[in-house]
Amino acid sequence: MTSIASSATAVPRRRRPLTALTLGVAGLLLATACSAGGSEEGASSSAGEGASSSTAPEQSSAATEGAGQGDPAALEGVSLTVAEDGTPSVDVGGGVETDQTTTRVLDAGEEPTLDHGSIARLHFLTADPTTGDVQAESFTQDPQTVILDDQLKQANPEMYELLTGVGVGGQIAAYVPSQEIPAPAAPSASEGASASTTNVPAQLFVYSVAERLPTVAQGEEVAERDERLPEVTVQDDRPVIATPEGEAPEALVVQPLIQGEGREVTVEDTVTVHYTGVTWSDGSTFDSSWERGAPTTFPLSGVIAGWSEGLEGQKVGSRVLISIPSEQAYGEQGTPTGDLKNEDLLFVVDILDAQAPAPQN
């Protein structure tokens, strides 16, 4: 297995942009990790590295309204209302009173529910748990994409469990009590000075499942094909590239197989895809998100040139076959592990989502 990240940059893939949603998830992760000894070890592995999805995940059951962890009864008075213009408001009743990190399902949502491998688009807000005043929110912006995969399960098991079983329209709340954390030491502090602490106020997070995205391409099949490229068939709902024959094209070739109806992808986007990569020389598979059991997300600017150029201008929902000459793949250098040197490659890619960079404040 290898990464599709550019060998020149050797950057780990990013699951989602650093937006308010990420900060909200990180805040919950920080609190639960401190209280339960959680770890983020392995959460930043590159696509295809160390993947060993040899066992199928268990089928999740539907979430139950009122269920949660910690002290769910303390969030019984919390409710979310969204105005016609998308502006959210939160009612906390008499305020949240508990000293435990707590989650609660406010609304279980509708079928189908989220399970392992699902791609969810979420709205998010943070609010004052005493007054309900909204401090930050994404409801008036585009929802953010989250994949319920092994990375989320390892890096943030609380968030993974919180989303699993919730349906579209579902709402979940998470409360993090106030914390005392060590404050950075002043540069001029003398040795032996007692460490100071900073109080982090309690926070209330509310998440709403706006959409569950398809995990396969959706659109009209393209009849016209480039005869230089191998056939792609579908087996067990997965596209499979036939063993290539003849010489690989000298230039990049992008062959749409299914034409989606979503927006066009730009090189600035962060994309969520399912894919399989094989070598032109013998058709052997060297990387596959389908084999790992969940889609993957990465910034299109951080991958090999053949991917960036091949996916630019394609529409979300499409399936494309990309033939990449070695100079637009890993070239003479190969991958960071030394594989795929001077290899011409083939990828079949389902484009499931694309998100523009988060606005800079």
Side-chain angles (χ1 to χ4, degrees), residues 235-284:
Q235 301 176 16
D236 298 326
D237 297 325
R238 303 178 182 182
V240 177
I241 303 173
T243 301
E245 298 180 356
E247 296 294 326
E250 294 183 359
L252 181 75
V253 178
V254 182
Q255 170 64 67
L257 304 176
I258 294 175
Q259 182 64 64
E261 298 181 352
R263 75 170 183 86
E264 290 188 359
V265 175
T266 73
V267 292
E268 292 81 18
D269 287 344
T270 292
V271 295
T272 298
V273 298
H274 252 319
Y275 69 92
T276 290
V278 305
T279 59
W280 255 100
S281 58
D282 59 8
S284 61

Side-chain angles (χ1 to χ4, degrees), residues 319-331:
R319 173 174 293 163
V320 295
L321 178 63
I322 310 175
S323 175
I324 304 178
S326 62
E327 60 268 21
Q328 290 181 282
Y330 300 97

Side-chain angles (χ1 to χ4, degrees), residues 75-302:
L75 302 182
E76 186 174 4
V78 175
S79 62
L80 169 68
T81 303
V82 181
E84 291 185 5
D85 65 356
T87 303
S89 59
V90 176
D91 187 345
V92 294
V96 179
E97 296 183 4
T98 181
D99 59 0
Q100 298 184 52
T101 297
T102 295
T103 62
R104 181 183 175 94
V105 177
L106 306 181
D107 186 329
E110 300 178 354
E111 297 284 348
T113 59
L114 303 179
D115 54 15
H116 189 87
S118 292
I119 310 171
R121 302 199 77 197
L122 304 182
H123 278 307
F124 142 89
L125 65 78
T126 59
D128 186 315
T130 302
T131 65
D133 291 340
V134 176
Q135 300 163 333
E137 56 85 20
S138 72
F139 286 79
T140 54
Q141 306 168 29
D142 289 336
Q144 299 297 310
T145 302
V146 174
I147 304 173
L148 274 69
D149 59 2
D150 288 335
Q151 182 174 4
L152 180 64
K153 189 174 184 179
Q154 293 170 8
N156 193 337
E158 293 80 11
M159 194 66 191
Y160 179 93
E161 294 297 332
L162 194 61
L163 290 171
T164 300
V166 176
V168 175
Q171 300 172 359
I172 49 183
Y175 170 78
V176 180
S178 61
Q179 299 180 81
E180 293 287 340
I181 62 173
S188 59
S190 60
E191 293 185 8
S194 59
S196 61
T197 59
T198 298
N199 179 265
V200 178
Q203 283 187 294
L204 177 66
F205 303 92
V206 180
Y207 304 88
S208 177
V209 181
E211 187 178 3
R212 177 185 177 182
L213 297 180
T215 54
V216 295
Q218 301 282 317
E220 183 176 349
E221 186 172 347
V222 178
E224 186 177 349
R225 302 291 172 91
D226 190 318
E227 295 183 355
R228 296 173 296 174
L229 304 184
E231 183 181 3
V232 176
T233 58
V234 178
Q235 301 176 16
D236 298 326
D237 297 325
R238 303 178 182 182
V240 177
I241 303 173
T243 301
E245 298 180 356
E247 296 294 326
E250 294 183 359
L252 181 75
V253 178
V254 182
Q255 170 64 67
L257 304 176
I258 294 175
Q259 182 64 64
E261 298 181 352
R263 75 170 183 86
E264 290 188 359
V265 175
T266 73
V267 292
E268 292 81 18
D269 287 344
T270 292
V271 295
T272 298
V273 298
H274 252 319
Y275 69 92
T276 290
V278 305
T279 59
W280 255 100
S281 58
D282 59 8
S284 61
T285 300
F286 59 86
D287 195 7
S288 175
S289 65
W290 272 289
E291 290 183 2
R292 293 195 296 274
T296 187
T297 296
F298 51 81
L300 202 53
S301 60

